[in-house]
Amino acid sequence: MSLDIVRELRQLMAQQQVDALIIPTSDTHKSEYIVDYWKIREWLTGFSGSAGTAVITNQNADLWTDSRYFVQAKNELKEPFKLFKLKTRGHEYIDWLCKELKPGDRIGINPELFSLSEIKNFETKLSKRGISLKLQNDIFDSLWKNRPIPQTNQIYTHSIEFNDLSRIDKINKVKSYLIETNADQILVSALDDIAWLLNLRGSDVNYNPVFRSFVLIQPNTTVLFVDQEKLNSDLKNELINNGILIKDYQLIDKYLSEISNNSTIEIDGNSANYKLINSMPAGIKIIESASMVGKLKAIKTDAEISHYKNAQIRDGVAMCNFLHWLEDSVSKDFITEVDAAMKSEEFRSVQNNYMQLSFETISAYAENAALPHYSCNNENPVLLKTEGLYLIDSGAQYTDGTTDITRTIALGKVTNEEITNFTLVLKGHIRVATAKFPYGTKGFHIDTLARLDLWQQGKDFGHGTGHGIGYFLNVHEGPQGFSQSQNGSAASILEPGMLITNEPGIYVEGKHGIRIENVLVCKEDLKTEMGQFLSFDTLSYCPIDKNLIAVKLLNNLEIDWVNNYHNEVYELISPHVSEKLLEWLKAKTSPLDRSN
Amino acid sequence: MSLDIVRELRQLMAQQQVDALIIPTSDTHKSEYIVDYWKIREWLTGFSGSAGTAVITNQNADLWTDSRYFVQAKNELKEPFKLFKLKTRGHEYIDWLCKELKPGDRIGINPELFSLSEIKNFETKLSKRGISLKLQNDIFDSLWKNRPIPQTNQIYTHSIEFNDLSRIDKINKVKSYLIETNADQILVSALDDIAWLLNLRGSDVNYNPVFRSFVLIQPNTTVLFVDQEKLNSDLKNELINNGILIKDYQLIDKYLSEISNNSTIEIDGNSANYKLINSMPAGIKIIESASMVGKLKAIKTDAEISHYKNAQIRDGVAMCNFLHWLEDSVSKDFITEVDAAMKSEEFRSVQNNYMQLSFETISAYAENAALPHYSCNNENPVLLKTEGLYLIDSGAQYTDGTTDITRTIALGKVTNEEITNFTLVLKGHIRVATAKFPYGTKGFHIDTLARLDLWQQGKDFGHGTGHGIGYFLNVHEGPQGFSQSQNGSAASILEPGMLITNEPGIYVEGKHGIRIENVLVCKEDLKTEMGQFLSFDTLSYCPIDKNLIAVKLLNNLEIDWVNNYHNEVYELISPHVSEKLLEWLKAKTSPLDRSN
């Protein structure tokens, strides 16, 4: 099929005098999880991973993706697509196109699927080579038979019980910001920003409780652009009573084209697509910045953190039930990776306030866990044995919080290498969890803490140490993050009230993968003559497998941390478990033996 | 005087229809140390510190400088200048001007004293407010009576004995780079890059053995622009025989204006001044990047490192002689900070290959050391007492290397706070000195290591952890550095062969200042399945005061490091000292008492 489509695309390219096409994985909001309607790249190439870009020239048809997906892409790609391995998760294909194409050539792109900053970056590089971009409308509608249509699932209210601020409060906060910064209006384009702003949730995509929409806030008007079928009449009336104007999703371009030519508009450079920007009058002044709604959203209030902790306790109860079941069953039954993933979902689904998983569970045995984003499936069932390591990275959406936790456990006999590696990862985890740091510290400063004990042994891991996480919202949330990169989320200053994961790991190809992940909340710590210091509280509650800890590699502070953490896990989880599980929990959370 | 000058400047501003003037601390090469001729800001404001910018509007006359100089600026500033405190060492005054001026206003600057990237940055900010730059010629020639004239000190050869590569080899390296990158020519504008490239040294400024010049390298021509009086006829003939065309320094603008309109030129964005860029034909393609000559210069060869080690040993001998003298004399004589600084210079000056100091010695007693860039002087003599801490940060230019070392020592009774702080700084120093890290690691990743033990106690220090250092060249050298900032030198990848200082500290206002500084060389360490790892060797050899170490705060690895380091110091220094000093050295380098 792909061969035919690529042939048709090349005919179209010839007609439109275009020498290359870039087909990204994106929707009109630059979302991480996209609706089926926009899964063009997957349909075209066969590769179903969450990240990748197809690039078609007259000679080549390539799929560019990063190391998380090399194996999967190789298995799934359909003729004539070839895999191009990205060194970073960047836009290396533009550099490739700069070399491959010749001056005067044109590259076709759909501006709905790229941000302003992407287009600027492309144009800077391409212009040096005399290559230009040709903005095209979506050319796939006619080519893609049976293209899915956007869903019209109902939008619902996120209860005020879990929100410190009403949607009117939140909108007013944004309005005061507009007054402060002399901006006339702000376009809110990231779907989770909109959900947060309006205290609404939806189910247009998997895992992320968001709905397709835009919001434009002007001093006297707030307009929500949304498929109106998704709003029942009560909710519609409520929004109208809140002073919100409701318009069809498709009308955003037209509306933007009619705003005052002499006004200023603030946009979120990461999520506003270029077509929207192109719709605006030529004289408008665009202030491109990181989402200011996203910044407000990232700071959780004390009340929200207290709700969030409840969600984490229930998630911990589910995890304990799951790990107990697994340890018990693995020696008695045939358990596959998929069985385990399903069972963990089952234990979560019976918890109060449970809505859905927050991402696809990573359930990986032995060498499979060496792929940090391994996806298990029934076509290739993998049986868990009573030896080696098992890794589960999973989480859920509760109405009072989004969770994401990784545990790596011994299913039986393990090697010394596995124990050493686990302990080194744990040391990094503890360094981050116990860090104090001055206000102004950024994610890339903290990231080093997770690695330094690994580095001393010539080891490392190839992903960031952590990401922001939502409050009944996306499992990946900005602006904060821990990684080595000085561009992107790790360049954000850490602020009290931010939630962030702490997930160092190590991956030994063909052998094992280890990751230990908890959610942290950033908080104020001591204040000295050097200023305000910050630190973290750990908010995930599930035992860390003591069988994998080489106590002799830990110092006293690290041993204390493990014991205190397990003590807290016991205190918080024990009231909610059966007698049999209590016994397991007690053993799993008993103090480390310092003589080991 | 300043009042009159500012009045005259404002008249000139009115004539030229300019609403503000920016007078930076800079020369036409963006050097750190500048010739007297360009010390306009100092002459105008009275402030003699090495960093600061005067900004004059019709209402204001301000001097902007950073925290290192707040005290000094307050003391030295002349009417009508007021001190504006910079939060960072950036260009905050532009943001201030954006607010202070109104749309349509113009700011006068001399383009010789700003880099392309500075001008771009200014224009981006100013254009948003409708403010523009007016490029002016130097307006101070007529105002500044008795303005110093540029010096004409002789240029001399840096012996091939100490250089792996001849100037022809180095020029050919640059030429192959030009061929590789399809650039037609490269302008070398940083004075230390030129000195390195040509194996020449000069003495136009204090401390840095460089000379005013530019070099333009084209595939078939290399042109040196220099005051020809500085070259004796032998050297001139040698350069001509090496195929180097010699032209007058002043002819650079004219020469650049005549290069081919269709060609490309690579420039060093940090040191090429904007006037040069403005001289070039309009059609020329400018490739602005970090100095590629600077990158070559930064990687010292094995032979150079071996020479450098010899220089460091001699510097260590001088330091040991000095510390021994100081400990001996402080209880017997009246010793001031200035006396100590002079004595340390004396001990260095008798060493082989000594040329001059590499920067002004910081000799600071007790609370004076809390100013990281304290400058002692005889107008305000400070006597050293037999109690508290004394800090000396000093270094020299030897023909086989540039040194920079800081030691903080107890002159007698010290407080527990002083011992604790010293030990925390030492822990940071050791973490950096012993770090292993994967290839690709940048300075800002390593910087955290120097701070984390301080952070855990709510402490920190307000400067970077280290800077690149030259090989008989500038004491501050790029591209590498250790700091928290992701912009600038700490964003450079650390490469084997780079020299870099390791100098964490702590500064308690009104009490004491502590810094421990050694020079490191980056080298290859183990290679694993995760790739090539790097680490450092320490190349400064002088005891660290054991009286200030709280051994109980160190772990075994840290104690081992101190003992091994002291052992190496003893091995390398002891062959070169008197019997009396040998005794002192033995005691100073004996192992730490683990029972303490």
Side-chain angles (χ1 to χ4, degrees), chain A residues 434 436 445 448 456 458 484 528, chain B residues 434 436 445 456 458 484 528:
Chain A
T434 59
K436 290 196 205 327
H445 296 127
T448 304
Q456 292 304 94
Q484 295 192 279
T528 71
Chain B
T434 59
K436 289 195 204 331
H445 296 126
Q456 293 303 95
Q484 294 192 281
T528 71

Side-chain angles (χ1 to χ4, degrees), chain A residues 63-92:
Chain A
L63 183 277
W64 295 71
T65 190
D66 64 78
S67 60
R68 296 174 294 170
Y69 296 109
F70 290 165
V71 177
Q72 189 183 343
K74 229 168 120 184
N75 292 334
E76 293 182 346
L77 275 183
K78 288 188 284 194
E79 278 281 341
F81 283 93
K82 300 223 167 355
L83 172 62
F84 245 92
K85 295 181 175 182
L86 280 172
K87 286 194 201 81
T88 63
R89 294 189 202 168
H91 296 103
E92 293 165 24

